[in-house]
Amino acid sequence: MTNYFVVFSPTMTPAQEGAFALNLSGTEWWHHLPGCWLIADPKEKLTAAQIRNYAQETGSGLHCAVFKVDPTRSWATFLPTKSGNRSKDWIESNW
């Protein structure tokens, strides 16, 4: 079974985002809206607290909230469908 998380961190800088993403190896993640991350953890190794800690380790001044989402999750999107934009495709395939 896969664990799913939603992360809100509107104060992350691009450098912090890069450092945060490095800590997410072994997961699938989506980050196409500023300050929002969707994380799928197929190995069930992460907790909300661990993900929060990874975010905090990227630097000071960070605001962050992490939520583990129920496996029966429901979602809806309104995302651009420009040529080459695969953000909705990722959600459909992995979320």
Side-chain angles (χ1 to χ4, degrees):
M1 181 179 256
T2 299
N3 286 334
Y4 297 92
F5 300 91
V6 177
V7 180
F8 296 104
S9 189
T11 58
M12 255 190 208
T13 66
Q16 288 172 316
E17 290 175 349
F20 181 66
L22 289 175
N23 284 315
L24 300 178
S25 65
T27 69
E28 298 289 334
W29 54 267
W30 179 95
H31 177 60
H32 292 272
L33 294 174
C36 178
W37 297 72
L38 303 180
I39 300 170
D41 176 18
K43 297 179 182 176
E44 299 182 351
K45 292 189 174 193
L46 296 175
T47 66
Q50 286 173 310
I51 294 169
R52 180 213 48 218
N53 292 344
Y54 290 154
Q56 287 178 320
E57 291 169 6
T58 66
S60 62
L62 187 71
H63 299 151
C64 180
V66 181
F67 302 90
K68 184 176 178 188
V69 182
D70 185 295
T72 60
R73 70 218 164 273
S74 173
W75 60 271
T77 66
F78 181 74
L79 297 168
T81 56
K82 296 178 194 171
S83 177
N85 184 332
R86 314 261 318 151
S87 59
K88 185 177 178 188
D89 294 344
W90 184 93
I91 294 172
E92 289 173 346
S93 297
N94 298 286
W95 198 255

